[in-house]
Amino acid sequence: MDSGLALRAPRNDDRRLRVTNEKPYRPNVGIALFNADGRVLIGHRFKGDGPEIILPGLDWQMPQGGVDEGENLRDAATRELWEETSVVSADYLGETDWFTYEFPPYDGPQTHRLAKFRGQRQKWFALRFTGRDDEIDPLTPRNGQPAEFDAWRWERLDRVVDLVVPFRRDVYRAVAREFAAFGN
């Protein structure tokens, strides 16, 4: 009896997808930094970073970054916030469980630091900004890390999902639900 299913030889892109899915997720923290008006800090990414691509008009995001081996997650969040924005004046509000997202297919150099990962596994932290806006400086490199943002602004958390690349949107929706009480 013919089931109607046809078998086919694997294509090269099938193999790439299978290999990608066997890669681990990169441990990562994200930061929703709320100001006194309940808006979050977002940065404008001015360049892609390997599998972390940006698309025209979808080049904003909240600060985020990798967790060093053995690093406390809250410490990683405050370090990443400082590295990407120079902000040190912030109080802890809360955190999420873990979320994941997949990188889009990446055909660039496999020596790129993110190429060995299938995506990111993130824990998000809500912090309240207690400083002044002139503390925020995304352009100065810190800890030997290049600048990721060339501009910043305050935005409503529920609007940020429409400003990020599609592969991050589900996580941003979940973060917006989890941290809705801290916004306006």
Side-chain angles (χ1 to χ4, degrees), residues 99 161-162 166 168-178:
F99 299 120
V161 70
D162 294 326
R168 287 195 180 125
R169 287 187 177 159
D170 287 342
V171 168
Y172 272 64
R173 280 186 194 96
V175 169
R177 281 191 304 273
E178 295 266 340

Side-chain angles (χ1 to χ4, degrees), residues 118-179:
R118 71 189 285 180
Q120 308 237 45
R121 182 174 185 252
Q122 297 182 311
K123 181 174 277 279
W124 281 82
F125 291 83
L127 304 175
R128 178 75 64 199
F129 183 52
T130 59
R132 296 181 358 187
D133 283 2
D134 60 5
E135 178 179 341
I136 303 167
D137 170 20
L139 290 173
T140 302
R142 286 172 272 294
N143 271 358
Q145 301 298 315
E148 291 188 31
F149 304 132
D150 64 357
W152 67 274
R153 73 179 202 229
W154 297 107
E155 183 58 78
R156 283 185 25 189
L157 180 59
D158 63 343
R159 290 187 182 162
V160 178
V161 70
D162 294 326
L163 304 172
V164 301
V165 290
F167 61 90
R168 287 195 180 125
R169 287 187 177 159
D170 287 342
V171 168
Y172 272 64
R173 280 186 194 96
V175 169
R177 281 191 304 273
E178 295 266 340
F179 294 158

Side-chain angles (χ1 to χ4, degrees), residues 66-78:
V67 178
D68 295 334
E69 184 73 32
E71 187 176 25
N72 173 282
L73 295 174
R74 198 183 299 184
D75 292 344
T78 57

Side-chain angles (χ1 to χ4, degrees), residues 4-5 35 37 46 52 59 71-72 80 90 93 103 105-106 116 128 134 137 154 160 165 174 184:
L5 297 176
N35 69 7
D37 296 327
F46 61 96
E52 286 277 84
D59 37 17
E71 187 176 25
N72 173 282
E80 283 293 336
L93 296 173
F103 292 140
Y106 178 64
K116 63 184 173 187
R128 178 75 64 199
D134 60 5
D137 170 20
W154 297 107
V160 178
V165 290
N184 57 357

